[in-house]
């Protein structure tokens, strides 16, 4: 009798843990909204200030609200230090750095889908692939 109780409890636990997620959502890969990468990323270094410059591509899909944002991640000596955003499609940013350290900047476009393009179960925030520039 004791073995039957253990078997029933084990079966119930197995059913509970295998039914805890919706496999269709995990397997769905048909999210078709993408942003192109920023173009012509460059920098100038004057003293301890890095001025990053880029261009926003012309081929932005109509599914995104305008103006777009630009997300910049700062990596100092291989340690992630900060992330900030530039609004209104401005194409430059200034960052204060320590000239004795090496830096890597990861620049991505960030867009929000229009209400018509938003899909149920998906985020409305879309990042482009990052463009990386290193300063040593």
């Amino acid at each position: 009798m004791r073995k039957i109780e253990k078997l029933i409890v084990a079966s119930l636990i197995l059913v509970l843990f295998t039914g805890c997620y919706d496999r269709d959502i995990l397997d769905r890969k048909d999210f078709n909204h993408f942003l192109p990468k920023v173009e012509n990323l460059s920098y100038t270094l004057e003293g301890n200030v890095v001025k990053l410059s880029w261009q926003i591509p012309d081929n932005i899909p109509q599914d995104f609200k305008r103006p777009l944002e630009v997300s910049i991640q700062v990596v100092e000596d291989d340690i992630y230090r900060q992330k900030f955003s530039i609004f209104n499609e401005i194409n430059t940013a200034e960052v204060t750095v320590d000239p004795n350290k090496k830096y890597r900047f990861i620049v991505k476009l960030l867009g929000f889908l229009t209400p018509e393009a938003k899909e149920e179960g998906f985020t409305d925030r879309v990042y482009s692939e990052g463009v990386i520039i290193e300063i040593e």
Side-chain angles (χ1 to χ4, degrees):
M1 187 66 165
R2 198 79 170 134
K3 288 183 180 181
I4 293 175
E5 290 175 358
K6 287 181 183 178
L7 183 61
I8 291 172
V9 170
S11 298
L12 286 175
I13 290 173
L14 184 64
V15 168
L16 286 175
F17 283 113
T18 58
C20 288
Y21 59 90
D22 187 348
R23 190 76 227 178
D24 292 338
I25 292 173
L26 295 174
D27 290 338
R28 186 172 175 194
K29 293 182 177 34
D30 58 347
F31 186 70
N32 294 316
H33 303 285
F34 301 97
L35 283 169
K37 297 188 271 187
V38 296
E39 298 173 341
N40 302 322
L41 179 61
S42 62
Y43 76 93
T44 57
L45 177 61
E46 293 182 23
N48 64 340
V49 176
V50 171
K51 183 176 181 179
L52 298 169
S53 301
W54 59 86
Q55 291 178 333
I56 295 176
D58 294 329
N59 60 340
I60 303 297
Q62 295 295 319
D63 294 345
F64 291 95
K65 296 178 190 175
R66 299 299 287 265
L68 297 174
E69 298 177 18
V70 176
S71 173
I72 301 173
Q73 298 173 0
V74 180
V75 180
E76 176 187 88
D77 283 339
D78 296 325
I79 299 171
Y80 176 83
R81 292 293 182 197
Q82 66 176 322
K83 177 181 176 181
F84 60 95
S85 293
I86 305 295
F87 303 97
N88 296 323
E89 296 192 15
I90 294 174
N91 61 358
T92 61
E94 292 186 356
V95 182
T96 303
V97 297
D98 180 346
N100 300 317
K101 296 183 179 181
K102 64 179 183 175
Y103 287 85
R104 184 170 57 244
F105 297 94
I106 305 162
V107 181
K108 300 178 182 182
L109 282 179
L110 167 59
F112 293 89
L113 292 171
T114 62
E116 300 81 30
K118 184 163 174 22
E119 297 180 40
E120 178 98 17
F122 287 97
T123 182
D124 67 337
R125 177 184 299 182
V126 178
Y127 286 91
S128 71
E129 185 177 336
V131 178
I132 299 172
I133 192 164
E134 295 190 23
I135 302 169
E136 301 209 26

